Amino acid sequence: MDDLLRDFLTESNEGLNQLDRDIVDLERQPESAELINRIFRAIHTIKGTCGFLDLVRLERVAHATESVLVLVRERKLAVSRPVIDDVLAGVDAIKAVLQVIEATEHEPAGNDDEVIVRLNARVPGNAPAPAEATSAAGTIELFETGEVIAVHARAVAAAEESAAPAPATAALPEARPAGEPASESKPAVADSSLRVNVVLLDKLMNLVGELVLGRNQLIQLTAGQEGSVFEAPVQHLNRVTTDLQEAVMKTRMQPVGAAWGKLPRLVRDLAAASGKQIELVMSGAETELDRQILQAIQDPLTHMVRNSADHGIEAPDVRVANGKGRAGTIHLNAFHEGGHVILEIRDDGAGINVDRVRQKAVERGLVKADAAAALSEQQVLRFIFEPGFSTAAQVTNVSGRGVGMDVVRSNIERIGGAVELASRVGEGATVRIKIPLTLAIVSALVVTAGSQVFAIPQIGVVELVRVTEEQQGRVQEMHGTRFYRLRDTLLPLVDLSALLALNHAARTTEANIVVCQVGALRFGLVVDDVYDTQEIVVKPMGRLVKHVTVYSGCTILGDGRVIMILDPAGIAATAMPSGQSERTREGETHAAAAGAGERESVLLFDAGFAALQAVPLRQVARLEEFTSAQLEEADGRLLVQYRGALLPVIPANPAMDVRARDPRPVVVLGRDGQAMGLAVDEIRDIVEEHLKLEAVARRPGVRGVGVIGGRATEVIDTGHFLAAAGHANQEEPA
Amino acid sequence: MTQTGIREFVTFRVDGQWLGVPVATVQEVLLAQRMAVVPLAPAEVAGFLNLRGQIVTALDLRTRLDMPGEPRLADAMNVVVRHDGELFSLLVDDVGDVLAIDAEQLEPVPLTLDAGWRAVSSGIVRRDTNLLAVLDVGALLRLDTLATT
């Protein structure tokens, strides 16, 4: 592509990004001369350069847009919504043409007459080109081709101004002709920044990574040699390297506001289309992020703001009826929090109707009605991130097609982030995205398993648990699946050595558990030793190993060793396949206790029926034994004083005399407050099985019959027993 | 190829068999390197090595080519090749001279050769005392090609 054309495209695009925002701002501040001037200059610059590049179509539409802006600037035309609409239409037409030029280097065929006619209609008597009207505008028409450089320089200056705060802009201030009004640009700013190719920045980053390694090796070599002649120079090198690393990292950082540029326009258009009044308030735009991450969050962010505007904010009349102001507000906020960047999208709209989500989840077959009723609000809200889920009563042209939130989640999780949703009916919803500062260098925990060293990104780690010999009892191994009792929840354990098939006998005396969080799933990774946290440079793994999902990359340690970076999400998927989807399908009693999915842990017990009974282990809170004395009869049912509350006890078999066995084994089901004890004859086993129900239930309390361990086994319907225990409200689908 | 019709190959030996890859693909040849084993990686991947801060995937040619001999990974030489912007090390027993031959001397792979080998060879060179198979690095890196035999 011709250099001049390429520069023109780069500058125009920069200018246009800011332009959308400025035009929307103008609607709110119609008196701002600065805004009008800036908008005018951006369009004017494009129009001017078109003439030299022989872009006739672009020039016509830019000209028409500019004509309207001239009138606005001269206060001959008041800023109103229709006027702004037309100007935005002009800008859109310009963008569309630019896009084609970027791809093909030529203007597309056709014309923008429709837009031009609209714009021209705003100009009384269809005033001639504004060239004569203003001083700066005269240049293009008056000068001949010899002035290309001059125009070019001015284009840069204008783009520079309008593209602030984006730092990367080159300028040719010396090329500005003497006669040009210099006041429009800020040479000081232009001189202090320049455009640098991203590839070069990446290369710099790599080189610094190598330098860091070299430095680390030197430090190791000279360690312990006191009074060595190398001591002072190595220390100096150390300091400089650290500073250099930091500085180079900073070159890749961009303010998060760069990803927000398009949002004001988006919200305005959505509001206009739906007849709502929406204000977008943005704060923390200066918060910096690695450019790679910035690119990754752009689409999810747009999607969620669109959701807030479309689903969240109510129509003005509805808002007034609910005692709110006519205009809704969407707050977009970015800030740093403990080495991460938090992005919050908060609206004061209607909030999310949890009951409707629950109902929808049941309709979609994501969860059974009884199980859905037992879910907490937070758990129900997670369904929104399931593929194909939408609660919009009707599909609008902007959202409600049920695509999106699952993509949002997977996009964010792919860059090591997490997304959370909170909502209060009538008060609004908040989406909170937590993302790492950079993908290139992450803070990671260094652990060992077998004799091998691995790194785990800190972002996925919740806590570390050290299990000493005395606490071994809290690790319960049942039929090959191990759990750890962590504060009343059963934490499924994944043994790293076993997972990676390392030739290594698990240590029996003590273990370290790295508690990892992947989405809603929490599990413990058993490792031998946990070392400190290190800043590591993430390197891609190469194509031959890329498919091994337990890793997210590799890195080089200070001593030059290559180690693998573990990916908690990949480990969860490998060790507990479909653990997530299975859990949401079945409803859960313990988010943390979600075990294997397709092969899930099942508790087998005998209750005097012909067949063994089974209950998914994740629906089991605890296993207890109660003596006959503890079982009290009141209100026509059996109760046990248990953990400061009364726990209803129901026999698994109606024919059972609960007191006949002393003590009586009881399986505690359900959450605190809505828990119940299921009296059984004998706990038999915990097995891992594909829980596939092959025959339907005939008897109440049985969900179905499946083959477990080669025997027909009845899987109990937890909801039935919870309902029988008086938690009847759980039966009603909300 | 080149104007003179001369083609050059870096030659090496695995399990007694002479093999070669085009000189242009080879970045460097290294002595045995410290290698990081990658659990769960395909058997052909011997591990990763650190080449001045770059990650190089080491390919165990003996396993890749289904050769019977005992693995000699500990003292294997590394023929570092670049393919599609990524670095790979071919682990070999010995590295020989650079072989320069006239393009015409490169013979097509005989149909009688094992299908797996045919999939990764781009030609055969007849030498005085032995045969040399010219390997196609791209094909070598498609690990599934051998599995189909």
Side-chain angles (χ1 to χ4, degrees):
Chain A
M1 195 185 284
D2 174 2
D3 277 353
L4 195 57
L5 185 62
R6 185 182 304 124
D7 285 349
F8 166 65
L9 288 172
T10 316
E11 288 148 13
S12 303
N13 283 332
E14 267 175 20
L16 285 169
N17 274 342
Q18 177 68 26
L19 201 59
D20 267 349
R21 236 166 126 164
D22 285 344
I23 295 175
V24 174
D25 282 348
L26 183 65
E27 196 171 5
R28 242 175 289 149
Q29 312 167 39
E31 299 306 311
S32 168
E34 192 200 329
L35 273 176
I36 296 173
N37 278 327
R38 204 154 68 189
I39 294 164
F40 174 78
R41 270 200 309 272
I43 295 289
H44 179 71
T45 304
I46 290 170
K47 189 197 96 169
T49 319
C50 287
F52 287 104
L53 297 171
D54 203 21
L55 302 169
V56 185
R57 177 171 170 183
L58 198 59
E59 189 178 11
R60 276 191 66 213
V61 62
H63 176 82
T65 314
E66 186 190 39
S67 304
V68 174
L69 288 171
V70 168
L71 294 177
V72 172
R73 186 156 102 152
E74 290 169 353
R75 310 283 175 204
K76 287 178 183 157
L77 183 64
V79 175
S80 67
R81 175 169 280 191
V83 169
I84 296 286
D85 279 338
D86 288 349
V87 171
L88 284 174
V91 172
D92 283 345
I94 292 171
K95 277 188 196 163
V97 174
L98 280 173
Q99 237 166 29
V100 176
I101 295 176
E102 204 165 342
T104 66
E105 298 188 29
H106 296 287
E107 277 191 308
N111 59 58
D112 309 288
D113 284 350
E114 194 197 329
V115 175
I116 292 171
V117 166
R118 269 171 68 188
L119 286 164
N120 284 347
R122 300 267 167 220
V123 183
N126 211 351
E132 298 87 337
T134 65
S135 58
T139 334
I140 318 297
E141 282 80 0
L142 300 177
F143 286 66
E144 283 302 312
T145 41
E147 287 296 325
V148 169
I149 296 175
V151 174
H152 177 62
R154 211 157 41 81
V156 172
E160 148 77 23
E161 275 195 345
S162 55
T169 309
L172 305 165
E174 71 277 9
R176 184 179 297 116
E180 195 67 22
S183 61
E184 290 194 4
S185 68
K186 300 181 183 98
V189 177
D191 283 342
S192 68
S193 58
L194 53 121
R195 213 184 289 270
V196 179
N197 193 321
V198 170
V199 176
L200 179 61
L201 288 184
D202 288 346
K203 194 174 171 194
L204 273 178
M205 187 73 216
N206 275 338
L207 288 172
V208 167
E210 267 184 59
L211 185 63
V212 168
L213 290 174
R215 183 260 329 251
N216 293 356
Q217 269 166 311
L218 260 184
I219 289 177
Q220 267 180 5
L221 285 175
T222 53
Q225 296 179 18
E226 277 189 37
S228 154
V229 287
F230 295 113
E231 200 177 316
V234 166
Q235 246 176 40
H236 182 63
L237 177 70
N238 182 14
R239 251 197 325 273
V240 174
T241 308
T242 309
D243 289 353
L244 182 64
Q245 183 182 357
E246 229 167 81
V248 170
M249 291 270 294
K250 275 192 189 143
T251 61
R252 293 167 51 95
M253 300 299 244
Q254 278 183 305
V256 70
W260 291 358
K262 293 188 173 117
L263 297 177
R265 168 78 190 274
L266 177 90
V267 169
R268 180 199 177 274
D269 287 357
L270 283 176
S274 58
K276 294 176 183 176
Q277 292 178 18
I278 307 174
E279 200 186 340
L280 181 66
V281 180
M282 302 189 283
S283 56
E286 69 290 344
T287 311
E288 288 192 325
L289 270 176
D290 190 284
R291 50 171 292 279
Q292 208 182 344
I293 294 191
L294 208 60
Q295 281 169 356
I297 60 158
Q298 181 135 20
D299 287 347
L301 205 60
T302 307
H303 195 88
M304 277 177 301
V305 168
R306 180 179 292 165
N307 259 339
S308 278
D310 194 43
H311 293 320
I313 305 289
E314 316 92 321
D317 296 344
V318 178
R319 290 184 62 88
V320 170
N322 289 332
K324 298 190 202 175
R326 291 185 67 81
T329 311
I330 299 173
H331 283 271
L332 191 55
N333 191 16
F335 54 93
H336 288 276
E337 189 183 274
H340 296 122
V341 169
I342 308 288
L343 285 171
E344 260 180 8
I345 300 114
R346 190 173 81 236
D347 67 59
D348 64 349
I352 295 162
N353 187 334
V354 177
D355 289 338
R356 209 163 77 195
V357 174
R358 206 188 297 261
Q359 192 184 333
K360 209 90 179 180
V362 174
E363 281 170 24
R364 294 276 154 102
L366 292 169
V367 65
K368 291 185 73 176
D370 51 351
L375 295 179
S376 72
E377 218 166 88
Q378 194 58 44
Q379 287 166 336
V380 172
L381 286 179
R382 282 195 207 116
F383 285 123
I384 289 177
F385 294 106
E386 290 291 317
F389 200 90
S390 170
T391 56
Q394 69 193 103
V395 171
T396 70
N397 65 337
V398 273
S399 56
R401 289 196 194 89
V403 287
M405 286 310 261
D406 60 316
V407 178
V408 164
R409 183 182 71 172
S410 60
N411 278 356
I412 287 169
E413 284 180 357
R414 207 174 44 222
I415 54 167
V419 56
E420 271 172 42
L421 182 63
S423 158
R424 291 183 83 95
V425 174
E427 289 176 33
T430 303
V431 178
R432 196 179 146 96
I433 306 171
K434 183 176 169 185
I435 35 181
L437 273 178
T438 168
L439 293 181
I441 298 193
V442 300
S443 177
L445 204 62
V446 179
V447 303
T448 62
S451 50
Q452 290 215 41
V453 183
F454 299 92
I456 307 175
Q458 194 89 46
I459 192 163
V461 176
V462 186
E463 62 180 310
L464 298 174
V465 180
R466 192 180 168 81
V467 185
T468 58
E469 207 164 352
E470 303 88 73
Q471 292 168 330
Q472 281 294 311
R474 304 181 69 173
V475 177
Q476 285 157 0
E477 189 161 348
M478 295 187 249
H479 210 83
T481 309
R482 294 205 300 168
F483 294 91
Y484 178 76
R485 285 184 180 223
L486 181 67
R487 289 185 295 274
D488 276 354
T489 61
L490 284 176
L491 186 72
L493 295 181
V494 175
D495 190 301
L496 188 58
S497 299
L499 180 76
L500 301 181
L502 299 178
N503 211 354
H504 163 69
R507 234 191 287 174
T508 48
T509 47
E510 60 173 52
N512 282 290
I513 298 173
V514 181
V515 183
C516 301
Q517 180 98 37
V518 177
L521 176 73
R522 208 172 261 214
F523 66 95
L525 194 62
V526 181
V527 300
D528 287 346
D529 285 301
V530 176
Y531 294 125
D532 51 352
T533 310
Q534 276 192 21
E535 298 281 302
I536 57 168
V537 181
V538 180
K539 297 191 177 263
M541 285 190 292
R543 72 176 78 174
L544 296 186
V545 187
K546 216 159 57 187
H547 64 281
V548 186
T549 52
V550 296
Y551 308 120
S552 59
C554 56
T555 188
I556 299 174
L557 286 185
D559 59 4
R561 260 187 303 172
V562 180
I563 64 165
M564 304 307 296
I565 302 169
L566 298 171
D567 176 10
I571 290 176
T574 308
M576 300 172 248
S578 79
Q580 301 222 11
S581 56
E582 190 71 14
R583 187 188 60 236
T584 45
R585 206 172 296 139
E586 297 287 340
E588 56 188 330
T589 50
H590 272 76
E598 274 177 352
R599 285 184 68 78
E600 69 167 321
S601 294
V602 179
L603 177 80
L604 295 180
F605 61 88
D606 189 355
F609 291 113
L612 273 186
Q613 309 287 298
V615 57
L617 196 60
R618 70 205 138 65
Q619 295 181 355
V620 176
R622 282 169 295 275
L623 300 179
E624 299 286 350
E625 283 189 333
F626 297 125
T627 60
S628 188
Q630 281 177 288
L631 289 159
E632 299 174 58
E633 209 168 324
D635 191 22
R637 52 186 185 156
L638 285 173
L639 297 166
V640 176
Q641 292 183 31
Y642 181 68
R643 302 166 75 93
L646 285 173
L647 180 79
V649 175
I650 310 275
N653 185 341
M656 180 193 298
D657 174 6
V658 179
R659 284 217 178 82
R661 208 177 278 253
D662 192 11
R664 168 63 74 179
V666 170
V667 180
V668 180
L669 302 173
R671 281 174 297 130
D672 290 336
Q674 294 197 322
M676 59 130 335
L678 189 68
V680 304
D681 284 350
E682 198 185 336
I683 305 279
R684 283 292 180 82
D685 202 355
I686 290 175
V687 296
E688 236 181 80
E689 270 295 343
H690 291 265
L691 198 51
K692 194 171 148 215
L693 300 184
E694 287 168 8
V696 284
R698 298 228 177 125
R699 185 162 56 77
V702 177
R703 230 174 73 207
V705 181
V707 176
I708 296 176
R711 292 178 59 182
T713 309
E714 291 174 351
V715 179
I716 66 157
D717 180 0
T718 332
H720 168 85
F721 289 104
L722 285 169
H727 305 306
N729 54 330
Q730 303 192 355
E731 271 293 86
E732 293 163 14
Chain B
M1 282 308 267
T2 49
Q3 285 173 335
T4 54
I6 295 293
R7 300 179 70 172
E8 291 181 300
F9 301 98
V10 171
T11 63
F12 44 83
R13 199 164 52 174
V14 180
D15 207 23
Q17 171 66 55
W18 282 98
L19 304 161
V21 289
V23 162
T25 61
V26 177
Q27 173 166 319
E28 57 195 296
V29 174
L30 303 168
L31 292 174
Q33 298 284 309
R34 180 163 64 174
M35 208 127 41
V37 178
V38 184
L40 304 188
E44 294 90 341
V45 174
F48 285 160
L49 48 100
N50 168 13
L51 181 63
R52 296 185 299 276
Q54 277 192 284
I55 303 289
V56 181
T57 310
L59 193 67
D60 173 12
L61 273 192
R62 200 181 301 269
T63 309
R64 177 67 183 90
L65 297 176
D66 202 15
M67 294 171 127
E70 282 294 304
R72 284 175 45 192
L73 295 184
D75 59 349
M77 303 267 295
N78 294 273
V79 178
V80 179
V81 296
R82 186 176 283 279
H83 185 78
D84 272 358
E86 210 182 315
L87 289 178
F88 297 90
S89 163
L90 308 178
L91 296 187
V92 303
D93 297 343
D94 307 287
V95 176
D97 297 330
V98 170
L99 172 70
I101 56 161
D102 199 84
E104 288 152 22
Q105 283 178 269
L106 188 65
E107 298 177 26
V109 184
L111 287 170
T112 45
L113 194 66
D114 167 278
W117 272 60
R118 274 207 321 272
V120 299
S121 316
S122 54
I124 295 280
V125 181
R126 249 186 292 170
R127 298 205 288 184
D128 294 343
T129 53
N130 55 39
L131 290 176
L132 180 142
V134 174
L135 297 177
D136 172 350
V137 174
L140 269 184
L141 298 175
R142 287 191 293 274
L143 295 186
D144 47 353
T145 48
L146 205 65
T148 57
T149 60

